[in-house]
Amino acid sequence: MNKELIILKNIPVLNFHTIMTHNKKRTWSFLSANIKVFENTLKYLKKNGYKSISLQELYDLRTKKISDDSKLFIITFDDGFLDNYTIAYPMLKKYGFKATVFVNPEFVDQRPVVREQIYDRIVNGEDVETDASWGYMSWNELKEIDDSGIFDVQCHGMTHTWYVVEPVIVDIHHSGDGYHWLWWNEFVDRKPLWLSDYCDTDIEIGTPVFKYGDSISAKRFFVNDDIVEFVKKECKGITFLDNKKKRLQYVNDLNREIDSKYRGNLGRYETDDEYSDRLYNEIHLSKEVIEKKLNKEVRFLAWTTGGTPAVQLAQNIAKDAGYYSATDCSKAYNDLNDDPFYVYRIGGFSGHDLFGKQSLLFEKAFIRMQLHRGSGEDFLFNRLLEGARRIYRRKDKKMGENNR
């Protein structure tokens, strides 16, 4: 039986963030799917008769028990990166697919700008400066793609940041670290431009990094300012912050010294009311902002926690706000008999190499694997991956023989 013609009874949701071919050193480039790889994914889906649907259509299938024997799938994007407009939007239009993009109002570019769509120029082999597409979409661009019907703009919470959750130092801010959220929280108005404006020295080198968590899953802890200043003072002139082993040993020493010096007077946690108000801002007010800016009803939420947060209060606020569904990652597929509130997602292929090599064959194997996982057929995972590995082993052996 031709495996490509199997009717999938469950619906896979493939999630992406950005579509861009980057210099690997570019900040957060790891989130990007290679342009060619993403196009190959769309070609594969088109060739094999897949039909993209919206989250609203998935919800209707579940709640109204509508029958559809098509090979259905869903594409989602998180965060609202600009290349979703400049590259993914015209590419989806070309292949007749649609997608959902989840955005955070604090990361939407507030300027009244509409940037050039560069996909066609890239296809034509022009030398395109991709730096101009490394950022976040504006409200004007979001309005355009939403009105087109190609994209459905939905909510990803308000801040998508991290906060201190315990008064325990876990690291010291140093050049080249990944604590970008320190900058976001200090310069909230500049968050939409952080990919181009970020400078790690804007936050004083030597600033303590306390144990942190995402903005939804735990109460914030507000560390006393004098403790932060004490640590900064202690770190001035230290030359080993780039040495991880020495730095973390120093962190342990600092924690012991702080415990002795301040004797538990380290700060305070959010009150229950403060935490509830903050979650309301994250989940409910973010929805209202998008609805007002785009003149539409927002019905779907992608948690910034990846899966459904363990905090029941957050789930209750989401349901009270009127969301039809929210994302989860506790399984790979969406059974039409599942609770319609949960949308289960898996990652789309980003273009990472296998054994240092890139191969269209492996791309197809990965796409097939994810589509079958997304249809509840997990048994294909090992089979497909092992098949790709065998091919590379044979190629490596042949190359070795030729080089003798």
Side-chain angles (χ1 to χ4, degrees), residues 285-301:
L285 289 186
S286 56
K287 178 178 184 290
E288 291 183 355
V289 169
I290 297 169
E291 289 177 333
K292 183 176 181 180
K293 289 287 188 179
L294 301 184
N295 190 29
K296 64 172 294 180
E297 182 179 1
V298 171
R299 297 176 173 178
F300 303 98
L301 171 68

Side-chain angles (χ1 to χ4, degrees), residues 15 17 28 78-80 102-107 154-163 184 191 213-218 278-279 282-283 286 301-310 314 323 326-329 345:
N15 188 51
H17 286 79
W28 275 25
D78 284 357
D79 302 339
F102 294 101
V103 303
N104 317 89
E106 282 194 2
F107 277 101
Q154 297 292 328
C155 188
H156 199 25
M158 184 68 81
T159 68
H160 204 333
T161 193
W162 286 261
Y163 293 120
W184 300 346
K191 283 171 73 172
D214 70 83
S215 58
I216 288 175
S217 295
R278 187 165 60 78
L279 288 186
E282 286 283 357
I283 300 165
S286 56
L301 171 68
W303 295 109
T304 53
T305 50
T308 301
Y323 288 105
T327 58
D328 195 279
C329 58
R345 301 193 294 175

Side-chain angles (χ1 to χ4, degrees), residues 1 3 6 8-9 332-333 368-387:
M1 176 186 249
K3 294 290 192 295
I6 292 176
L8 303 182
K9 63 179 180 179
Y333 60 92
R368 288 185 62 191
M369 176 191 74
Q370 292 297 68
L371 289 170
H372 283 282
R373 286 184 67 216
S375 69
E377 299 179 37
D378 289 332
F379 72 92
L380 284 171
F381 177 95
N382 291 329
R383 199 169 108 189
L384 290 170
L385 193 56
E386 182 55 34

Side-chain angles (χ1 to χ4, degrees), residues 230 234 250-263:
F230 167 75
E234 291 293 301
Y250 187 60
V251 163
N252 291 334
D253 295 340
L254 280 172
N255 279 319
R256 284 194 292 269
E257 188 171 356
I258 288 170
D259 285 343
S260 174
K261 182 179 177 69
Y262 293 93
R263 299 183 180 278

